[in-house]
Structures are given as structure tokens and as C-alpha cells.
Amino acid sequence: MSKIDVAPPYTAVSRHEMFPEPRHDEAARFDFLANLNKFLAGTLGPGNKLAYDRRVLPAFVKEHGREPKDRFEIRHAMNEDPFHRFWSALKRNSMEMRQQNGRAMVLRQLDALDAKARAFNDGKDTLELDPSVAVPRYQAAVDIHCMPGSYHGEERPDDVSAGANYDCGLFATTGGALGALNDGGGQALVEWVRKERPGWEPRRVLDIGSTIGHNVVPLALAFPDTEFFAIDTAAPSLRYGHARAQALGATNIRFIQANAEDLSRWEDGTFDWVQTTMFLHELSGKALPKIIAEGYRVLADDGLMLHVEQPQYSDDMPLYEQFIRDWDAFNNNEPFWSAMHALDLKEEMVKAGFGRDELFTVGVRAVVDTDIFPEAPTGESEDHGRAAVWNAYGAWKNAEAIQEAAE
Amino acid sequence: MSNEPIDWMTRANLKAKGKRPDFLADPEEEKMLSMLMAVIGEISVLRERLDTVERLLDAKGTISRDDIERYEPDREAGQERGEMIREYIARVMRGPQQALQALEEFEPPVQDVVDELRDS
């Protein structure tokens, strides 16, 4: 008989030197939440589709004489259904508890965490903070993921609470599916690029919207001679992220407080690889094309642009699935999730300058130690929008032209 | 950098910026559910702590608070505790799970059954 599917214990997470130290009961709180989230997604989640098929859709058709025309009509109808409402209430509470539990653990030991961060950060030129960088309105209008203070909030000046809270609670949200260091996404990128272009050593890599650097650290460790630049607008996340990277031995990453809408500090063609990981959906409609265009400008010929995201909504995706993937947009403070996933990302990359034949998409599944951590779920138990299964939208810039010139 | 002390217990409870959606019919029910969920979580924490104490006593015969704080389950104990939590959640979530089952079975109201059996 195979093992019953439960979340791994919280004590299995890797506690690098910057990681908040959980007390017994604090770890137990995350054990509870990780398993609760599995229950809500896997056991109760399918009830939403049943409620839709058996109650909501027939009632909608009866009232309107037609099926819903988009995911918004489904949402309005489902928001009247008692099963969906109660499931949503449970899921929202789980997210609020995750934030409370994470913040309680971090804030209790904030003196120690700040001191550890200072020990790693002070005097290092690989952390570059710039107080003149404003938090963009699209990051400040609501607290993303219901994180009080979002990525940029400070409990007191110069603290690391936002980054530490983000790091310690990813486990609960994903049921452990991102692995021991929450870096299953970054590890997947390493695995993919090694296979895609064996022997490639990029000179410089730009990671945009890096938060605590959990996706870029595996890359930096895999390419120790490459210069990495991790930029974000949120100073508390960068302070924590820089210290975290140093603790993990990734000293070839420069963490810089900057807004990627303006990369003018870098000349055209500076980077061999420009990437974002689960970042584009946190951008406004105006910021996203600017950032992709700036990324294109600073990308060298034969360079790689890669955006890791959840799958975009397309005509091929059933409207119900679009609706359930939209849950976080309206119930977990992800204000751009819905609009961004309806964008034709390939079109945005073409507008930025890529040729259509340079574009590709690739499926990415978190790489984790499957002896301990669960493999990214697919199918019925997938927590839509949170599962560690992504689509990467990529392009090699002018690769063919370079090849022809060489021949 | 400042090390000004903060009231972490109060600060941990802060609300996220952005209007909270209404899920249930009455705002009071939302608050009651949030309290109930917190209590459900804390009972799970207590059960896990008791499990730690029992495992340590089995292994050592006598223990200290520090032993409890530093305890980390091995692979097998971690799986067993995961299953314990899963079973606990299933027990607490009986109501919502039965609502799901009712959707699967699509049953007629009991009154219909009564009426049918009365005349059969």
C-alpha cells in the first residue's frame, strides 16, 4: 500500500542561517495549515465543480436561456452557491491564519533576525538599497496574498520582517510542494537550461521581481562564475533575500532596489538572460509591457528571456477552470491575476521586439526531493493558481541571426 | 537600524490592506468562523505537542521542556503525525465533507421519500 498523502513535517524545511527558528508549537501550526490546505484543495475542492455542474449552471441556463459567456458570469453565479461560499470562507481563513502564524513567529524573534541580517549585509556591496525607489501603486493598493504590509512593509525601520514572513510560510501555502528551501521553481529552471543549452555559461543574468531571491539562488549556485542581478522595489524583502543568499553561499548575486519599468542604469544588451518567476501577475496593465520592453532592450543577442507563470487563459481553457483559477484574484488580494492571465503574453513579447518564431513555451514543474516533499500536484487535487506547476514563456533573442552570421 | 521593541502579539494579527470579501450571509458568522478555525488549529497544535511528549517519554523515560522544543520527528514519525493531522481535519470537517457528498448523490428531500414510502 502506498503512503497516505500528507504534507511533510515543517521540521523538514531547510533552516538556513537567516530562517526564523520555529518553536515546537509554531512548527505544529504550519503542519496543521499545510494539511488543511491539502484537504481544502484535494478533498473538498472538487465540490465546487459539482456545485457548478449540478446546481449553478442549470439555474443559470434556466434564468438566462444560455450558458455563461465568461469566467466573471460564473463567478457571480458561484458566489451565490452555499457550498462554494463556505469553501471560500475556509480557504480565506487558512490564508489569514498562515499570515498570522508566520508573522507571530517572525515578529517574536525580530531582534535576532534583524541582527543576523545586519551581520550578513553590513558593508557588503552586493546589497544596494535606494530609498528614492517608490513602491509602485500596483504593489501598494492592496496587500498582495493578504500579507499585512505586503512585500515592502516594515514593523520598524530597516527590518526584515516582510521577507522572513514570506519565506517561512510558503511551506504552508503550497503544502511543502516547493521543497526544502521553497526553491523548487529555481531548481526546475536549472534543470531545464542545462538540458536546453548544455555547457552554456551566461555572463550576466537579471532576475526581475526577485523578492527574497528563492528562485534565483539555485541558478546562482549552478552558475558560480556568472554575475546575477536580482532587483525588486521592496527593501525589506531585499534585505532578507541578500542575507539569505549569503547564508546559502550564493555570493554572486547583487540585490538591487530598483523598479524594472526603468532599467536605464544598464546599457542595451547587458544581460545574457532576463527572467521573472511568478512576477508578471503582480504588475499593472501599464507596467507589464514596459518591463518586458526594458527587459528586451537590456538583453544581448542570443540571450534568453524567460517568464515563469501559471498557464494563461485561452479559448482552449474551459470557462469553469478560468473561474476557479481566478479565485485568488478576488479572494486573496491578487488584483492583477485575472487580467494578466487573460493577456496574450506571446503578443506582449512580440510587441517588445521578439520575432514570433523566436518564442516558445515550456512546462515547468517544481524540482523537489520527492523522498520528503510532494511532487507538484496535477489534476483534481491541484490547487489552481498555487500548485507548483507552471508555464514558462520564453524567447532566444535574434538567435538565428547570430547563427547565420557565424556561418 | 532600530531595535525598538514591538508588541508582536498585537502586530501579528494585523489585517491585510484591501476590503475583505463577504463569504457568509452575516458578518458575525465570518468572525465566528475565524475564531472557530483558530481554535481548530490550536487543538491540532496541542495534539501534536502531546504526541511529541509521548514519543519522547517512550524513547527517554523522562523529558524537559527543552526536549519538546527541540524535538524533530524522523521520517516515519513525520508521516504518522501527518496522518494524525489529516485524520483530525477529516473529523472536524465532517459537515463540509457531507455537503460535498450530498452534491455527489443528488438526493431528493427526505419528505419526498416519506411520501413515497407512505403510499407504497
Side-chain angles (χ1 to χ4, degrees), chain A residues 3-4 6 11 15 23-25 29 31-32 36 39 43 47 50 54-55 85 88 92-93 96-97 100 103-104 107 118 140-143 146 148 155-156 158 330-331 333, chain B residues 1-4 8 11-14 16-17 20-21 23-24 33-34 37 41-42 44-45 48-49 52 68-69 72-73 75 79 82-83 85-86 89 93 96 100 103-104:
Chain A
K3 269 196 320 188
I4 293 173
V6 297
T11 44
R15 298 208 285 280
R23 285 182 178 158
H24 180 281
D25 292 2
R29 285 187 185 102
D31 287 340
F32 170 73
L36 176 66
F39 177 86
T43 305
L50 279 174
R54 298 205 165 164
R55 283 204 294 242
R85 288 165 71 130
S88 296
R92 169 82 183 206
N93 265 288
E96 290 172 351
M97 288 164 77
Q100 200 278 347
R103 282 169 56 80
L107 299 183
R118 278 196 297 263
V142 301
D143 285 341
C146 296
E155 295 299 320
R156 60 189 185 200
D158 304 328
F330 300 97
N331 300 294
N333 284 5
Chain B
M1 189 182 276
S2 144
N3 264 356
E4 202 179 306
W8 62 268
R11 300 290 299 171
N13 277 0
L14 286 195
K17 184 178 176 185
R20 193 179 190 276
F23 300 103
L24 307 176
L33 181 66
S34 72
M37 289 300 289
E42 291 305 302
S44 180
V45 170
E48 191 167 323
R49 193 172 180 94
T52 296
I68 297 171
E69 290 303 326
E72 290 188 14
R75 188 75 60 85
Q79 176 70 23
E83 289 177 20
I85 297 168
R86 186 175 181 273
I89 289 172
M93 291 292 169
L100 165 72
L103 274 168
E104 284 166 345

Coordinates of all heavy atoms in Angstrom, one line a residue, chain A residues 3-4 6 11 15 23-25 29 31-32 36 39 43 47 50 54-55 85 88 92-93 96-97 100 103-104 107 118 140-143 146 148 155-156 158 330-331 333, chain B residues 1-4 8 11-14 16-17 20-21 23-24 33-34 37 41-42 44-45 48-49 52 68-69 72-73 75 79 82-83 85-86 89 93 96 100 103-104:
Chain A
K3 N 2.0 5.1 0.6 CA 1.8 6.0 1.7 C 0.6 6.9 1.6 O 0.3 7.4 0.5 CB 3.1 6.9 1.9 CG 4.1 6.3 2.7 CD 5.2 7.4 3.1 CE 5.6 8.4 2.1 NZ 6.7 9.2 2.5
I4 N -0.1 7.2 2.7 CA -1.2 8.2 2.6 C -0.6 9.5 2.4 O 0.5 9.9 2.9 CB -2.0 8.2 4.0 CG1 -2.7 6.8 4.1 CG2 -3.0 9.3 4.1 CD1 -3.3 6.6 5.5
V6 N 0.2 13.0 2.8 CA 0.1 14.0 3.8 C 1.3 15.0 3.6 O 2.2 14.6 2.9 CB 0.2 13.5 5.3 CG1 -1.0 12.6 5.6 CG2 1.5 12.8 5.5
T11 N 9.3 20.6 10.1 CA 10.8 20.5 10.5 C 11.6 20.0 9.4 O 12.9 20.0 9.5 CB 10.9 19.6 11.8 OG1 10.1 18.4 11.5 CG2 10.5 20.2 13.0
R15 N 16.6 24.9 7.4 CA 16.7 26.1 8.1 C 18.1 26.7 7.9 O 19.0 26.5 8.7 CB 16.4 25.9 9.6 CG 14.9 25.4 9.7 CD 14.3 25.7 11.0 NE 14.8 24.9 12.1 CZ 14.4 23.6 12.4 NH1 13.5 23.1 11.6 NH2 14.9 22.9 13.4
R23 N 9.5 27.6 17.1 CA 9.3 26.8 18.4 C 8.4 25.6 18.0 O 7.8 25.5 16.9 CB 8.6 27.6 19.4 CG 9.5 28.7 20.1 CD 8.7 29.4 21.1 NE 9.6 30.4 21.8 CZ 9.1 31.5 22.4 NH1 7.8 31.7 22.5 NH2 9.9 32.3 23.0
H24 N 8.3 24.6 19.0 CA 7.6 23.4 18.7 C 6.2 23.7 18.2 O 5.7 23.2 17.1 CB 7.5 22.6 20.0 CG 6.7 21.3 19.8 ND1 5.3 21.3 19.7 CD2 7.1 20.0 19.6 CE1 4.9 20.0 19.5 NE2 6.0 19.3 19.4
D25 N 5.5 24.6 18.9 CA 4.1 24.9 18.5 C 3.9 25.7 17.2 O 2.9 25.6 16.5 CB 3.3 25.6 19.7 CG 3.2 24.6 20.9 OD1 3.7 23.5 20.8 OD2 2.6 25.1 21.9
R29 N 1.7 24.6 14.0 CA 0.7 25.4 13.3 C 0.9 25.3 11.8 O -0.1 25.2 11.1 CB 0.8 26.9 13.7 CG 0.3 27.1 15.1 CD 0.2 28.6 15.6 NE -0.2 28.5 17.0 CZ 0.7 28.7 18.0 NH1 1.9 29.0 17.8 NH2 0.2 28.6 19.2
D31 N 2.2 22.8 10.3 CA 1.8 21.4 10.0 C 0.3 21.3 9.7 O -0.1 20.7 8.8 CB 2.2 20.4 11.1 CG 3.7 20.1 11.2 OD1 4.4 20.4 10.2 OD2 4.2 19.7 12.2
F32 N -0.4 21.9 10.6 CA -1.9 21.9 10.5 C -2.3 22.6 9.2 O -3.1 22.1 8.5 CB -2.5 22.7 11.7 CG -4.0 22.9 11.5 CD1 -4.9 21.9 11.6 CD2 -4.4 24.2 11.3 CE1 -6.2 22.1 11.4 CE2 -5.8 24.4 11.1 CZ -6.7 23.4 11.2
L36 N -4.3 21.2 6.2 CA -5.6 21.8 5.9 C -5.7 22.2 4.4 O -6.8 22.0 3.8 CB -5.9 23.0 6.8 CG -7.2 23.8 6.6 CD1 -8.4 22.9 6.9 CD2 -7.2 25.1 7.4
F39 N -6.4 19.4 2.3 CA -7.8 18.9 2.4 C -8.7 19.8 1.6 O -9.6 19.4 0.9 CB -8.2 18.9 3.9 CG -9.6 18.6 4.2 CD1 -10.0 17.2 4.3 CD2 -10.6 19.5 4.2 CE1 -11.3 16.9 4.5 CE2 -12.0 19.2 4.4 CZ -12.3 17.9 4.6
T43 N -9.7 17.3 -1.1 CA -10.9 16.6 -0.7 C -12.2 17.4 -1.0 O -13.1 16.9 -1.6 CB -10.9 16.2 0.8 OG1 -9.7 15.4 1.0 CG2 -12.1 15.3 1.2
G47 N -15.9 19.6 -4.9 CA -17.3 20.0 -4.6 C -17.7 21.3 -5.4 O -18.9 21.4 -5.7
L50 N -18.8 20.2 -8.7 CA -20.1 19.5 -8.6 C -21.2 20.5 -8.4 O -22.3 20.4 -9.1 CB -20.1 18.6 -7.4 CG -19.5 17.2 -7.6 CD1 -19.4 16.5 -6.3 CD2 -20.2 16.4 -8.6
R54 N -24.1 20.8 -11.2 CA -25.4 20.3 -10.8 C -26.4 21.3 -10.3 O -27.6 21.1 -10.4 CB -25.3 19.3 -9.6 CG -24.4 18.1 -10.1 CD -24.7 16.9 -9.3 NE -24.1 15.7 -10.0 CZ -23.9 14.6 -9.4 NH1 -24.2 14.4 -8.2 NH2 -23.4 13.6 -10.1
R55 N -25.9 22.5 -9.9 CA -26.8 23.5 -9.3 C -26.7 24.8 -10.1 O -27.7 25.3 -10.6 CB -26.5 23.8 -7.9 CG -27.0 22.7 -6.9 CD -27.1 23.3 -5.5 NE -25.9 23.7 -4.9 CZ -25.4 23.2 -3.7 NH1 -26.1 22.2 -3.2 NH2 -24.3 23.7 -3.2
R85 N -19.4 29.2 -1.3 CA -19.2 30.3 -0.3 C -18.5 29.7 0.9 O -17.6 30.4 1.5 CB -20.5 30.9 0.1 CG -21.1 31.7 -1.0 CD -22.6 32.1 -0.8 NE -22.7 33.0 0.3 CZ -23.4 34.1 0.3 NH1 -24.0 34.4 -0.9 NH2 -23.5 34.9 1.3
S88 N -14.9 28.8 0.2 CA -14.1 30.0 0.0 C -13.8 30.6 1.4 O -12.7 31.1 1.6 CB -14.9 31.1 -0.8 OG -15.1 30.6 -2.1
R92 N -10.1 31.3 2.7 CA -9.6 32.6 3.1 C -9.1 32.6 4.5 O -8.0 33.2 4.8 CB -10.8 33.6 2.9 CG -10.5 35.0 3.6 CD -9.8 35.9 2.6 NE -9.5 37.2 3.3 CZ -9.3 38.3 2.7 NH1 -9.3 38.4 1.4 NH2 -9.0 39.4 3.3
N93 N -9.8 31.9 5.4 CA -9.3 31.8 6.8 C -8.0 31.1 6.8 O -7.1 31.5 7.6 CB -10.3 31.0 7.6 CG -11.3 32.0 8.3 OD1 -10.9 32.7 9.3 ND2 -12.5 32.1 7.8
E96 N -5.4 33.7 6.0 CA -5.3 34.7 7.0 C -4.5 34.0 8.2 O -3.6 34.7 8.8 CB -6.6 35.2 7.5 CG -7.3 36.1 6.4 CD -8.7 36.5 6.8 OE1 -9.3 35.9 7.8 OE2 -9.3 37.3 6.1
M97 N -4.8 32.8 8.5 CA -4.1 32.1 9.6 C -2.6 31.9 9.2 O -1.7 32.1 10.1 CB -4.7 30.7 9.9 CG -6.0 30.8 10.5 SD -7.0 29.3 10.5 CE -6.2 28.3 11.7
Q100 N -1.0 35.2 10.0 CA -0.9 35.4 11.4 C 0.2 34.5 12.0 O 1.0 35.0 12.8 CB -2.3 35.1 12.1 CG -2.4 35.8 13.4 CD -1.8 35.0 14.6 OE1 -1.4 33.8 14.4 NE2 -1.7 35.6 15.7
R103 N 3.7 35.7 10.8 CA 4.1 37.0 11.4 C 4.4 36.8 12.9 O 5.3 37.4 13.5 CB 3.0 38.0 11.2 CG 3.1 38.6 9.7 CD 1.9 39.4 9.4 NE 1.7 40.5 10.3 CZ 2.3 41.7 10.3 NH1 3.2 41.9 9.3 NH2 2.1 42.6 11.1
A104 N 3.5 36.0 13.6 CA 3.8 35.9 15.1 C 5.1 35.2 15.3 O 5.9 35.7 16.2 CB 2.7 35.0 15.6
L107 N 7.9 38.0 14.2 CA 7.9 39.3 15.0 C 8.4 39.0 16.4 O 9.1 39.8 17.0 CB 6.6 40.0 15.0 CG 6.1 40.4 13.6 CD1 4.7 41.2 13.7 CD2 7.1 41.2 12.9
R118 N 21.8 42.0 9.7 CA 22.9 43.0 9.7 C 24.3 42.4 9.6 O 25.2 42.9 8.8 CB 22.8 43.8 11.0 CG 21.8 44.9 11.0 CD 22.1 45.9 12.1 NE 21.9 45.3 13.4 CZ 20.8 45.4 14.2 NH1 19.8 46.0 13.7 NH2 20.8 44.8 15.3
A140 N 1.0 48.6 -3.9 CA 0.6 49.2 -2.6 C -0.9 49.3 -2.4 O -1.3 49.5 -1.3 CB 1.3 50.6 -2.4
A141 N -1.6 49.2 -3.5 CA -3.1 49.4 -3.4 C -3.8 48.4 -2.4 O -4.6 48.8 -1.7 CB -3.7 49.3 -4.8
V142 N -3.4 47.2 -2.5 CA -3.8 46.2 -1.5 C -2.6 45.3 -1.1 O -1.6 45.3 -1.8 CB -5.0 45.2 -2.1 CG1 -6.2 46.0 -2.5 CG2 -4.4 44.4 -3.2
D143 N -2.7 44.7 0.0 CA -1.6 43.8 0.5 C -1.7 42.5 -0.3 O -2.6 41.7 0.0 CB -1.7 43.6 2.0 CG -1.2 44.8 2.7 OD1 -0.5 45.7 2.1 OD2 -1.5 44.9 3.9
C146 N -2.8 38.8 0.8 CA -3.3 39.1 2.2 C -2.1 39.1 3.2 O -2.3 38.8 4.4 CB -4.3 38.1 2.7 SG -5.8 38.2 1.7
P148 N -0.1 41.2 5.5 CA -0.2 42.6 6.1 C 1.2 43.3 5.8 O 2.2 42.7 6.2 CB -0.5 42.3 7.6 CG -1.2 41.0 7.6 CD -0.5 40.2 6.5
E155 N 7.9 46.7 10.2 CA 7.4 46.9 11.5 C 8.1 48.0 12.3 O 7.6 48.5 13.2 CB 7.5 45.5 12.3 CG 6.6 44.4 11.7 CD 5.2 44.7 11.6 OE1 4.7 45.3 12.6 OE2 4.5 44.4 10.6
R156 N 9.4 48.2 11.9 CA 10.2 49.3 12.4 C 11.3 49.5 11.3 O 11.5 48.6 10.4 CB 10.8 48.9 13.7 CG 11.7 47.7 13.7 CD 12.1 47.3 15.1 NE 13.0 46.2 14.9 CZ 13.3 45.3 15.9 NH1 12.7 45.4 17.1 NH2 14.2 44.3 15.7
D158 N 14.1 49.6 8.7 CA 15.2 48.7 8.3 C 15.1 47.3 8.7 O 16.1 46.6 8.9 CB 16.6 49.3 8.8 CG 16.8 50.7 8.4 OD1 16.4 51.0 7.2 OD2 17.4 51.5 9.1
F330 N -9.7 37.5 -6.6 CA -10.8 38.2 -5.8 C -10.8 37.9 -4.4 O -11.4 38.6 -3.6 CB -12.1 37.9 -6.5 CG -12.1 38.3 -8.0 CD1 -11.9 37.4 -9.0 CD2 -12.4 39.7 -8.3 CE1 -11.9 37.8 -10.3 CE2 -12.4 40.1 -9.6 CZ -12.1 39.1 -10.6
N331 N -10.2 36.8 -3.9 CA -10.3 36.4 -2.5 C -9.0 36.4 -1.8 O -9.0 36.1 -0.6 CB -11.0 35.0 -2.5 CG -12.4 35.1 -3.1 OD1 -13.3 35.7 -2.6 ND2 -12.5 34.4 -4.2
N333 N -6.4 38.8 -2.6 CA -5.7 40.1 -3.0 C -4.6 39.9 -4.0 O -3.4 40.2 -3.8 CB -5.0 40.7 -1.7 CG -6.1 41.4 -0.8 OD1 -7.3 41.3 -1.1 ND2 -5.6 42.0 0.2
Chain B
M1 N 19.9 51.1 12.1 CA 18.8 50.2 12.2 C 18.3 50.3 13.7 O 19.1 50.3 14.6 CB 19.2 48.8 11.9 CG 18.0 47.9 11.8 SD 18.4 46.2 11.4 CE 18.6 46.2 9.6
S2 N 17.0 50.3 13.8 CA 16.4 50.4 15.1 C 16.0 49.1 15.7 O 15.6 48.2 15.0 CB 15.2 51.3 15.0 OG 14.1 50.9 15.9
N3 N 16.1 48.9 17.0 CA 15.7 47.7 17.6 C 14.6 48.0 18.6 O 14.4 47.4 19.7 CB 16.8 47.0 18.4 CG 17.4 45.9 17.5 OD1 16.9 45.6 16.4 ND2 18.4 45.2 17.9
E4 N 13.7 49.0 18.3 CA 12.6 49.4 19.1 C 11.7 48.2 19.3 O 11.3 47.5 18.4 CB 11.8 50.5 18.3 CG 11.0 51.4 19.1 CD 10.3 52.4 18.2 OE1 11.1 53.0 17.4 OE2 9.1 52.4 18.2
W8 N 4.5 42.2 19.5 CA 4.4 41.3 18.4 C 3.1 40.6 18.4 O 2.6 40.2 17.3 CB 5.6 40.4 18.3 CG 5.8 39.4 19.5 CD1 6.6 39.7 20.6 CD2 5.2 38.1 19.7 NE1 6.5 38.6 21.4 CE2 5.7 37.7 20.9 CE3 4.4 37.3 18.9 CZ2 5.4 36.4 21.4 CZ3 4.0 36.1 19.4 CH2 4.5 35.6 20.6
R11 N 0.7 43.0 16.8 CA 1.1 43.2 15.4 C 0.8 42.0 14.5 O 0.6 42.1 13.3 CB 2.5 43.6 15.3 CG 2.9 44.8 16.1 CD 2.4 46.1 15.5 NE 2.9 46.3 14.1 CZ 2.4 47.3 13.3 NH1 1.5 48.1 13.8 NH2 2.9 47.5 12.1
A12 N 1.0 40.8 15.1 CA 0.8 39.6 14.3 C -0.6 39.5 13.7 O -0.8 38.8 12.7 CB 1.1 38.3 15.1
N13 N -1.6 40.1 14.4 CA -3.0 40.0 14.0 C -3.4 41.0 13.0 O -4.6 41.0 12.6 CB -3.9 40.1 15.2 CG -4.0 38.8 16.0 OD1 -3.4 37.8 15.6 ND2 -4.7 38.8 17.1
L14 N -2.5 41.8 12.5 CA -3.0 42.9 11.6 C -3.8 42.4 10.4 O -3.5 41.3 9.9 CB -1.8 43.7 11.0 CG -1.0 44.7 12.0 CD1 -0.2 45.6 11.2 CD2 -2.0 45.5 12.8
A16 N -4.9 42.6 6.5 CA -4.2 43.0 5.2 C -5.0 44.1 4.6 O -6.3 44.1 4.7 CB -4.2 41.8 4.3
K17 N -4.3 45.0 3.9 CA -5.0 46.1 3.3 C -5.8 45.6 2.1 O -5.3 44.8 1.3 CB -3.9 47.1 2.8 CG -4.5 48.4 2.2 CD -3.3 49.3 1.8 CE -3.8 50.5 1.1 NZ -2.6 51.4 0.7
R20 N -12.1 43.0 2.7 CA -12.3 41.5 2.8 C -13.6 41.2 2.1 O -14.7 41.8 2.4 CB -12.3 41.1 4.2 CG -12.2 39.6 4.5 CD -12.2 39.4 6.0 NE -11.9 38.0 6.3 CZ -12.7 37.0 6.2 NH1 -14.0 37.2 5.9 NH2 -12.3 35.7 6.5
P21 N -13.6 40.1 1.2 CA -14.9 39.7 0.6 C -15.8 39.1 1.6 O -15.4 38.6 2.7 CB -14.4 38.6 -0.4 CG -13.0 38.7 -0.5 CD -12.5 39.3 0.8
F23 N -18.2 36.2 2.5 CA -18.4 34.8 2.1 C -19.7 34.3 2.6 O -20.5 33.6 1.9 CB -17.3 33.9 2.5 CG -15.9 34.3 2.0 CD1 -15.0 35.0 2.8 CD2 -15.6 34.1 0.7 CE1 -13.8 35.4 2.3 CE2 -14.4 34.4 0.2 CZ -13.4 35.1 1.0
L24 N -20.0 34.6 3.9 CA -21.2 34.1 4.6 C -22.3 35.1 4.6 O -22.0 36.3 4.3 CB -20.8 33.6 6.0 CG -19.6 32.6 6.0 CD1 -19.2 32.2 7.4 CD2 -19.9 31.3 5.1
L33 N -16.5 32.1 12.4 CA -15.8 31.1 11.7 C -14.3 31.3 11.9 O -13.6 30.3 12.1 CB -16.2 31.1 10.2 CG -15.4 30.0 9.4 CD1 -15.9 28.6 9.8 CD2 -15.6 30.2 7.9
S34 N -13.9 32.5 11.9 CA -12.4 32.8 12.0 C -11.9 32.3 13.4 O -10.9 31.8 13.5 CB -12.1 34.2 11.7 OG -12.5 35.0 12.8
M37 N -12.0 28.5 13.4 CA -10.8 27.9 12.7 C -9.5 28.0 13.5 O -8.7 27.1 13.5 CB -10.7 28.6 11.3 CG -11.7 28.3 10.3 SD -11.8 26.6 9.9 CE -10.2 26.4 8.9
G41 N -7.3 25.0 14.8 CA -5.8 24.9 14.6 C -5.1 24.7 15.9 O -4.2 23.9 15.9
E42 N -5.5 25.4 16.9 CA -4.8 25.3 18.2 C -5.0 23.9 18.8 O -4.1 23.4 19.5 CB -5.2 26.3 19.2 CG -4.8 27.7 18.7 CD -3.3 27.9 18.5 OE1 -2.5 27.6 19.5 OE2 -2.8 28.2 17.4
S44 N -5.2 21.2 17.1 CA -4.2 20.3 16.3 C -2.8 20.5 16.9 O -2.0 19.6 17.0 CB -4.2 20.8 14.8 OG -3.3 20.0 14.1
V45 N -2.5 21.8 17.3 CA -1.1 22.1 17.8 C -1.0 21.3 19.2 O 0.1 20.7 19.4 CB -1.0 23.6 18.0 CG1 0.3 23.9 18.8 CG2 -0.9 24.3 16.6
E48 N -0.4 17.7 18.6 CA 1.0 17.4 18.1 C 2.0 17.5 19.3 O 2.9 16.7 19.4 CB 1.3 18.4 17.0 CG 2.6 18.0 16.3 CD 2.9 18.7 15.0 OE1 1.9 19.0 14.2 OE2 4.1 19.0 14.7
R49 N 1.7 18.5 20.2 CA 2.6 18.6 21.3 C 2.5 17.4 22.2 O 3.5 16.9 22.7 CB 2.2 19.9 22.1 CG 3.3 20.3 23.1 CD 3.0 21.6 23.7 NE 4.0 22.0 24.7 CZ 5.1 22.7 24.4 NH1 5.3 23.2 23.2 NH2 6.0 22.9 25.4
T52 N 4.4 14.7 20.7 CA 5.8 14.9 21.0 C 6.2 14.3 22.4 O 7.2 13.6 22.5 CB 6.2 16.3 20.8 OG1 6.0 16.8 19.5 CG2 7.7 16.6 21.2
I68 N 11.2 19.1 24.3 CA 10.0 19.3 23.5 C 10.3 20.3 22.4 O 10.0 20.0 21.2 CB 8.8 19.7 24.4 CG1 8.5 18.6 25.4 CG2 7.6 20.0 23.5 CD1 7.4 19.1 26.4
E69 N 10.8 21.4 22.8 CA 11.1 22.5 21.8 C 12.0 22.0 20.7 O 11.9 22.4 19.6 CB 11.7 23.7 22.5 CG 10.7 24.5 23.4 CD 9.5 24.9 22.6 OE1 9.5 25.3 21.4 OE2 8.4 24.9 23.3
E72 N 12.4 16.9 16.7 CA 12.1 16.8 15.3 C 11.8 15.4 14.9 O 12.6 14.5 15.1 CB 13.3 17.3 14.5 CG 13.5 18.8 14.6 CD 14.5 19.4 13.6 OE1 14.8 18.7 12.7 OE2 14.9 20.5 13.8
P73 N 10.6 15.2 14.4 CA 10.2 13.8 14.0 C 11.1 13.2 12.9 O 11.5 14.0 12.0 CB 8.8 13.9 13.5 CG 8.6 15.3 13.1 CD 9.5 16.1 14.0
R75 N 11.6 10.5 9.7 CA 10.7 10.2 8.5 C 9.4 9.5 8.9 O 8.3 9.9 8.5 CB 11.5 9.4 7.5 CG 10.8 9.2 6.1 CD 10.9 10.5 5.3 NE 12.3 10.9 5.1 CZ 13.1 10.5 4.1 NH1 12.6 9.6 3.3 NH2 14.3 10.9 3.9
Q79 N 5.6 11.1 9.0 CA 4.4 10.5 8.2 C 3.3 10.2 9.2 O 2.1 10.6 8.9 CB 4.9 9.3 7.5 CG 3.8 8.5 6.7 CD 3.3 9.3 5.5 OE1 4.0 10.1 5.0 NE2 2.0 9.0 5.1
G82 N 1.6 13.4 10.2 CA 0.8 13.9 9.1 C -0.5 13.2 9.0 O -1.5 13.9 8.8
E83 N -0.5 11.9 9.2 CA -1.7 11.1 9.1 C -2.6 11.5 10.3 O -3.8 11.5 10.1 CB -1.4 9.6 9.0 CG -0.8 9.2 7.7 CD -0.4 7.8 7.7 OE1 -0.9 7.0 8.5 OE2 0.5 7.4 6.8
I85 N -2.8 14.4 11.8 CA -3.4 15.7 11.5 C -4.5 15.5 10.4 O -5.6 16.1 10.5 CB -2.4 16.7 11.0 CG1 -1.4 16.9 12.2 CG2 -3.0 18.0 10.7 CD1 -0.1 17.7 11.7
R86 N -4.2 14.7 9.4 CA -5.2 14.5 8.3 C -6.5 13.9 8.9 O -7.6 14.3 8.6 CB -4.6 13.6 7.3 CG -5.4 13.4 6.1 CD -4.6 12.5 5.1 NE -5.3 12.3 3.8 CZ -6.2 11.3 3.6 NH1 -6.5 10.5 4.6 NH2 -6.8 11.2 2.4
I89 N -8.3 16.6 10.8 CA -9.0 17.6 10.0 C -10.3 16.9 9.4 O -11.3 17.5 9.3 CB -8.1 18.1 8.8 CG1 -7.0 19.0 9.4 CG2 -8.8 18.8 7.7 CD1 -5.9 19.4 8.5
M93 N -14.0 18.4 9.8 CA -14.6 18.8 8.6 C -15.7 17.9 8.1 O -16.1 17.9 6.9 CB -13.5 19.0 7.4 CG -12.6 20.1 7.7 SD -13.4 21.7 7.5 CE -12.1 22.8 8.2
P96 N -18.7 20.0 6.2 CA -18.5 20.4 4.8 C -18.3 19.1 3.9 O -18.7 19.2 2.7 CB -17.2 21.2 4.9 CG -17.2 21.7 6.3 CD -17.8 20.7 7.1
L100 N -20.4 18.0 0.5 CA -19.9 17.5 -0.8 C -20.5 16.2 -1.2 O -20.9 16.1 -2.4 CB -18.4 17.4 -0.7 CG -17.6 16.6 -1.8 CD1 -17.6 17.4 -3.0 CD2 -16.2 16.2 -1.3
L103 N -23.9 16.6 -2.6 CA -23.8 17.1 -4.0 C -23.6 16.0 -5.0 O -24.2 15.9 -6.1 CB -22.7 18.1 -4.2 CG -23.0 19.6 -3.9 CD1 -21.7 20.3 -3.8 CD2 -23.9 20.2 -4.9
E104 N -22.7 15.0 -4.5 CA -22.4 13.9 -5.4 C -23.7 13.0 -5.6 O -23.9 12.5 -6.7 CB -21.3 13.0 -4.8 CG -19.9 13.6 -4.9 CD -18.9 13.0 -4.0 OE1 -19.3 12.2 -3.1 OE2 -17.7 13.2 -4.3

